[in-house]
Amino acid sequence: MKVSIKSLGHEYAGVIQYYQHSFLVQGSEREYLASFFRDSGKKGLGHVERLGEKIVALGGLPTVEPATIRQATDLKEMLRQDLELEREAQAAHLAALKQLTGEDEAEEIALRFMLEELVEAEQRDIDNLEMLLASRRPTLTTKEVRFKSA
């Protein structure tokens, strides 16, 4: 199978995990983070639809089993769990890309493009979650910025 069933399982898990986090998030952050988690789940559902349709179009049977779903009640732990799942999904998509053999050029180009789009979407999610977790902070070279008058 040219589209990894692991890719679909990770996307299923993402939908469920993000929605579970939207239900469990508490405190002053709930107002905006519940929506963030739900929106992330909806994006994942779009990935599920694309992958499932492509698996069937290629003559395969889509899995019904999600990857591991994690849950937490601590916000930072939720974000860490989501970051881990996004990295796993990206790795599954990259593994599927490596399986392409070049047998049917038109089909392979379309499949490569779809998988590359999924890899890029996962990278955006990874970057966003890393910023939310403040795992990568910009380095300031100066604390003041002065603009020159024109």
Side-chain angles (χ1 to χ4, degrees):
M1 175 62 49
K2 294 177 183 173
V3 177
S4 170
I5 290 180
K6 287 184 178 185
S7 288
L8 185 57
H10 281 93
E11 295 297 345
Y12 281 148
V15 172
I16 297 166
Q17 184 170 303
Y18 276 120
Y19 268 90
Q20 181 71 346
H21 287 166
S22 79
F23 304 144
L24 294 173
V25 68
Q26 299 289 310
S28 58
E29 295 93 357
R30 179 171 174 73
E31 189 67 32
Y32 64 91
L33 283 176
S35 294
F36 166 77
F37 288 132
R38 285 190 185 117
D39 290 344
S40 296
K42 289 175 188 173
K43 284 192 298 185
L45 185 56
H47 296 175
V48 165
E49 290 172 0
R50 289 182 75 187
L51 285 166
E53 292 288 341
K54 184 51 88 175
I55 289 169
V56 171
L58 294 172
L61 179 66
T63 184
V64 295
E65 296 181 30
T68 301
I69 299 163
R70 300 161 184 96
Q71 56 183 355
T73 55
D74 175 73
L75 176 59
K76 284 206 178 238
E77 183 57 25
M78 288 177 184
L79 294 171
R80 277 191 288 274
Q81 290 172 350
D82 294 335
L83 176 59
E84 186 175 341
L85 185 60
E86 294 291 352
R87 287 178 175 156
E88 291 168 356
Q90 186 180 56
H93 302 330
L94 287 168
L97 268 168
K98 289 178 183 175
Q99 292 177 11
L100 298 180
T101 61
E103 292 172 13
D104 180 345
E105 189 175 347
E107 181 180 280
E108 292 252 342
I109 290 171
L111 182 54
R112 177 174 297 285
F113 183 73
M114 183 191 81
L115 289 168
E116 287 173 347
E117 282 184 325
L118 290 172
V119 168
E120 190 272 335
E122 301 301 347
Q123 188 60 53
R124 274 186 279 126
D125 293 338
I126 289 167
D127 292 344
N128 192 36
L129 287 163
E130 285 178 341
M131 286 188 279
L132 284 169
L133 286 164
S135 59
R136 291 187 188 172
R137 293 188 181 266
T139 303
L140 294 176
T141 56
T142 181
K143 294 194 182 231
E144 291 183 8
V145 177
R146 297 180 191 263
F147 293 97
K148 297 177 183 177
S149 57

